[in-house]
Protein backbone atom coordinates (compact mmCIF):
# COMPACT_ATOMS: atom_id res chain seq x y z
CA UNK A 1 0.00 0.00 0.00
CA UNK A 2 1.12 3.56 -0.57
CA UNK A 3 2.18 5.60 2.40
CA UNK A 4 -0.71 7.25 4.17
CA UNK A 5 -1.21 10.93 3.37
CA UNK A 6 -3.38 11.80 6.31
CA UNK A 7 -4.25 10.71 9.82
CA UNK A 8 -7.85 10.37 10.91
CA UNK A 9 -9.49 10.29 14.30
CA UNK A 10 -11.65 7.22 14.95
CA UNK A 11 -14.81 9.25 14.26
CA UNK A 12 -13.38 10.56 10.99
CA UNK A 13 -12.35 7.02 10.02
CA UNK A 14 -15.87 5.79 10.78
CA UNK A 15 -17.36 8.53 8.57
CA UNK A 16 -15.02 7.84 5.65
CA UNK A 17 -15.30 4.04 5.82
CA UNK A 18 -19.02 4.10 6.71
CA UNK A 19 -18.30 1.64 9.51
CA UNK A 20 -19.67 2.14 13.02
CA UNK A 21 -17.44 3.89 15.51
CA UNK A 22 -17.58 0.93 17.89
CA UNK A 23 -16.26 -1.34 15.15
CA UNK A 24 -13.44 1.12 14.46
CA UNK A 25 -12.38 1.10 18.11
CA UNK A 26 -12.71 -2.68 18.13
CA UNK A 27 -10.35 -2.93 15.16
CA UNK A 28 -7.84 -0.69 16.96
CA UNK A 29 -8.10 -2.67 20.20
CA UNK A 30 -7.51 -5.91 18.27
CA UNK A 31 -4.52 -4.28 16.52
CA UNK A 32 -6.13 -4.82 13.13
CA UNK A 33 -5.34 -1.18 12.37
CA UNK A 34 -3.43 1.70 13.89
CA UNK A 35 -1.83 1.76 17.27
CA UNK A 36 -2.80 3.19 20.68
CA UNK A 37 -0.70 6.26 19.92
CA UNK A 38 0.54 7.39 16.50
CA UNK A 39 2.28 10.71 16.07
CA UNK A 40 0.63 13.48 18.06
CA UNK A 41 -2.91 12.10 17.86
CA UNK A 42 -4.18 9.35 20.09
CA UNK A 43 -5.49 6.30 18.21
CA UNK A 44 -4.73 7.94 14.86
CA UNK A 45 -5.64 6.04 11.69
CA UNK A 46 -3.84 6.40 8.36
CA UNK A 47 -5.10 6.04 4.79
CA UNK A 48 -3.51 2.59 4.70
CA UNK A 49 -5.33 1.68 7.91
CA UNK A 50 -8.63 2.68 6.31
CA UNK A 51 -8.19 0.08 3.58
CA UNK A 52 -7.38 -2.59 6.15
CA UNK A 53 -10.41 -1.49 8.18
CA UNK A 54 -12.75 -1.69 5.19
CA UNK A 55 -11.48 -5.12 4.20
CA UNK A 56 -11.45 -6.43 7.75
CA UNK A 57 -15.04 -5.35 8.28
CA UNK A 58 -16.11 -6.71 4.91
CA UNK A 59 -14.31 -10.06 4.79
CA UNK A 60 -11.47 -10.08 7.28
CA UNK A 61 -13.71 -10.61 10.29
CA UNK A 62 -14.71 -14.03 8.94
CA UNK A 63 -11.11 -15.08 8.39
CA UNK A 64 -8.82 -16.65 10.93
CA UNK A 65 -6.02 -14.46 12.24
CA UNK A 66 -3.50 -16.30 10.08
CA UNK A 67 -5.56 -16.01 6.87
CA UNK A 68 -6.20 -12.34 7.58
CA UNK A 69 -2.48 -11.80 8.09
CA UNK A 70 -1.79 -13.42 4.70
CA UNK A 71 -4.44 -11.23 3.06
CA UNK A 72 -2.92 -8.02 4.39
CA UNK A 73 0.58 -9.23 3.52
CA UNK A 74 -0.54 -9.90 -0.06
CA UNK A 75 -1.93 -6.36 -0.29
CA UNK A 76 1.36 -4.94 1.02
CA UNK A 77 3.26 -6.93 -1.61
CA UNK A 78 0.92 -5.82 -4.42
CA UNK A 79 -0.24 -2.29 -3.48
CA UNK A 80 -1.55 -1.54 -6.99
CA UNK A 81 -3.36 -4.83 -7.53
CA UNK A 82 -7.07 -4.57 -8.33
CA UNK A 83 -7.85 -7.96 -6.78
CA UNK A 84 -6.12 -10.09 -4.19
CA UNK A 85 -6.55 -13.84 -3.79
CA UNK A 86 -6.97 -14.42 -0.06
CA UNK A 87 -7.09 -18.21 -0.49
CA UNK A 88 -8.24 -20.83 -2.98
CA UNK A 89 -11.87 -19.73 -2.66
CA UNK A 90 -11.81 -16.02 -1.82
CA UNK A 91 -10.80 -13.20 -4.17
CA UNK A 92 -11.04 -9.69 -2.73
CA UNK A 93 -11.89 -6.64 -4.90
CA UNK A 94 -9.34 -4.25 -3.42
CA UNK A 95 -9.71 -1.65 -6.17
CA UNK A 96 -13.35 -0.99 -5.39
CA UNK A 97 -12.63 -0.54 -1.69
CA UNK A 98 -9.68 1.73 -2.45
CA UNK A 99 -11.71 3.92 -4.85
CA UNK A 100 -14.61 4.20 -2.39
CA UNK A 101 -12.33 5.29 0.44
CA UNK A 102 -10.46 7.75 -1.78
CA UNK A 103 -13.72 9.44 -2.80
CA UNK A 104 -14.99 9.59 0.77
CA UNK A 105 -11.66 10.88 2.07
CA UNK A 106 -11.59 13.62 -0.55
CA UNK A 107 -15.17 14.57 0.34
CA UNK A 108 -14.21 14.98 4.00
CA UNK A 109 -11.20 17.13 3.09
CA UNK A 110 -13.41 19.25 0.83
CA UNK A 111 -15.98 19.62 3.61
CA UNK A 112 -13.32 20.71 6.09
CA UNK A 113 -12.36 23.54 3.73
CA UNK A 114 -15.85 25.01 3.43
CA UNK A 115 -17.14 24.58 6.98
CA UNK A 116 -16.05 26.49 10.04
CA UNK A 117 -17.24 27.93 13.33
CA UNK A 118 -17.06 31.63 14.14
CA UNK A 119 -17.69 33.03 17.58
CA UNK A 120 -20.83 35.16 17.51
CA UNK A 121 -22.12 33.67 14.24
CA UNK A 122 -25.13 31.40 14.83
CA UNK A 123 -23.99 30.89 18.39
CA UNK A 124 -20.69 29.39 17.29
CA UNK A 125 -22.39 26.52 15.45
CA UNK A 126 -20.52 25.12 12.43
CA UNK A 127 -21.69 26.90 9.28
CA UNK A 128 -20.78 26.92 5.61
CA UNK A 129 -18.23 29.66 4.97
CA UNK A 130 -19.79 32.85 3.68
CA UNK A 131 -23.22 31.90 5.06
CA UNK A 132 -25.09 31.64 8.33
CA UNK A 133 -26.51 28.22 7.47
CA UNK A 134 -25.88 25.65 10.24
CA UNK A 135 -24.29 22.51 8.83
CA UNK A 136 -25.95 20.21 11.35
CA UNK A 137 -29.37 21.54 10.36
CA UNK A 138 -28.74 20.65 6.72
CA UNK A 139 -27.40 17.21 7.61
CA UNK A 140 -30.44 16.54 9.79
CA UNK A 141 -32.77 17.51 6.93
CA UNK A 142 -30.97 15.08 4.62
CA UNK A 143 -31.14 12.35 7.24
CA UNK A 144 -34.89 12.88 7.53
CA UNK A 145 -35.28 12.37 3.79
CA UNK A 146 -35.42 15.91 2.44
CA UNK A 147 -34.36 15.97 -1.25
CA UNK A 148 -31.20 17.92 -2.00
CA UNK A 149 -32.92 20.14 -4.58
CA UNK A 150 -35.58 21.17 -2.06
CA UNK A 151 -32.93 22.05 0.52
CA UNK A 152 -31.05 24.16 -2.03
CA UNK A 153 -34.31 25.88 -2.95
CA UNK A 154 -34.86 26.76 0.70
CA UNK A 155 -31.23 27.82 1.23
CA UNK A 156 -30.12 29.59 -2.00
CA UNK A 157 -26.66 30.26 -0.54
CA UNK A 158 -25.93 26.52 -0.75
CA UNK A 159 -25.12 24.25 -3.66
CA UNK A 160 -26.09 20.60 -4.05
CA UNK A 161 -22.48 19.64 -3.37
CA UNK A 162 -22.44 21.58 -0.10
CA UNK A 163 -25.60 19.80 1.01
CA UNK A 164 -24.04 16.42 0.26
CA UNK A 165 -20.84 17.32 2.10
CA UNK A 166 -22.79 18.23 5.22
CA UNK A 167 -23.55 14.57 5.87
CA UNK A 168 -19.99 13.28 5.94
CA UNK A 169 -18.75 16.32 7.89
CA UNK A 170 -21.35 15.87 10.64
CA UNK A 171 -20.63 12.13 10.77
CA UNK A 172 -16.94 12.92 11.25
CA UNK A 173 -17.63 15.63 13.85
CA UNK A 174 -20.53 14.42 16.01
CA UNK A 175 -22.03 17.03 18.33
CA UNK A 176 -21.40 16.65 22.02
CA UNK A 177 -23.99 17.12 24.73
CA UNK A 178 -27.65 17.95 24.27
CA UNK A 179 -28.94 19.53 21.05
CA UNK A 180 -28.80 23.31 21.18
CA UNK A 181 -32.00 25.34 21.09
CA UNK A 182 -32.61 27.75 18.22
CA UNK A 183 -32.12 30.70 20.56
CA UNK A 184 -28.73 29.34 21.60
CA UNK A 185 -27.70 29.19 17.95
CA UNK A 186 -28.64 32.81 17.36
CA UNK A 187 -31.77 31.77 15.44
CA UNK A 188 -35.39 32.61 16.03
CA UNK A 189 -38.65 31.11 14.86
CA UNK A 190 -40.35 33.26 12.22
CA UNK A 191 -43.62 31.38 11.99
CA UNK A 192 -45.40 28.46 13.59
CA UNK A 193 -48.46 26.65 12.27
CA UNK A 194 -50.76 24.89 14.72
CA UNK A 195 -53.16 22.24 13.55
CA UNK A 196 -56.21 20.73 15.28
CA UNK A 197 -55.75 17.11 16.29
CA UNK A 198 -58.28 15.98 13.71
CA UNK A 199 -55.94 17.00 10.90
CA UNK A 200 -52.74 15.76 12.45
CA UNK A 201 -52.78 12.62 10.35
CA UNK A 202 -53.10 14.44 7.03
CA UNK A 203 -50.98 17.54 7.50
CA UNK A 204 -47.62 18.23 9.08
CA UNK A 205 -46.81 21.25 11.22
CA UNK A 206 -44.27 23.56 9.66
CA UNK A 207 -42.03 26.33 10.82
CA UNK A 208 -39.03 28.29 9.59
CA UNK A 209 -36.10 29.69 11.41
CA UNK A 210 -33.45 32.21 10.60
Amino acid sequence: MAAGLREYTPTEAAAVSEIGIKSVHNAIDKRIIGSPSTGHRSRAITDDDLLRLKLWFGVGSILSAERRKRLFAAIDENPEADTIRADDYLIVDVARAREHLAARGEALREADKIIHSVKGVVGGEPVFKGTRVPVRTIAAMKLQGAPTDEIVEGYPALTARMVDLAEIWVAAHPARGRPRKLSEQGLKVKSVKRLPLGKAGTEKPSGTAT
Side-chain angles (χ1 to χ4, degrees), residues 114 116 118-138 155 157-158 162 182-188 209-210:
I114 65 170
H116 66 172
V118 179
K119 186 177 180 180
V121 176
V122 195
E125 279 290 299
V127 297
F128 295 98
K129 291 182 179 180
T131 79
R132 295 176 61 87
V133 181
V135 177
R136 299 192 193 283
T137 297
I138 300 303
Y155 295 88
L158 305 184
M162 293 165 74
L182 291 177
S183 59
E184 295 173 331
Q185 299 178 32
L187 303 173
K188 62 181 180 179
T210 61

Side-chain angles (χ1 to χ4, degrees), residues 149-178:
D149 57 349
E150 290 187 8
I151 296 176
V152 172
E153 183 179 354
Y155 295 88
L158 305 184
T159 64
R161 180 60 174 169
M162 293 165 74
V163 172
D164 291 339
L165 292 177
E167 292 184 280
I168 190 170
W169 191 90
V170 169
H173 304 86
R176 297 181 179 181
R178 64 174 177 79

Side-chain angles (χ1 to χ4, degrees), residues 68-79 81 84-86:
R68 184 172 61 239
K69 182 178 180 180
R70 289 200 300 268
L71 171 62
F72 289 162
I75 295 173
D76 288 338
E77 293 171 3
N78 302 278
I84 294 292
R85 181 178 292 277

Side-chain angles (χ1 to χ4, degrees), residues 28-44:
I28 296 174
D29 292 338
K30 291 184 176 181
R31 297 186 180 278
I32 303 298
I33 61 171
S35 63
S37 180
T38 302
H40 65 285
R41 299 172 69 178
S42 177
R43 300 174 81 83

Side-chain angles (χ1 to χ4, degrees), residues 71-100:
L71 171 62
F72 289 162
I75 295 173
D76 288 338
E77 293 171 3
N78 302 278
E80 303 302 323
D82 291 338
T83 59
I84 294 292
R85 181 178 292 277
D87 56 29
D88 292 339
Y89 306 101
L90 178 63
I91 298 177
V92 180
D93 187 346
V94 182
R96 179 175 296 183
R98 190 184 293 118
E99 291 171 2
H100 177 77

Side-chain angles (χ1 to χ4, degrees), residues 1-6 46-48:
M1 280 179 272
L5 299 177
R6 166 175 177 162
T46 67
D47 285 311
D48 289 351

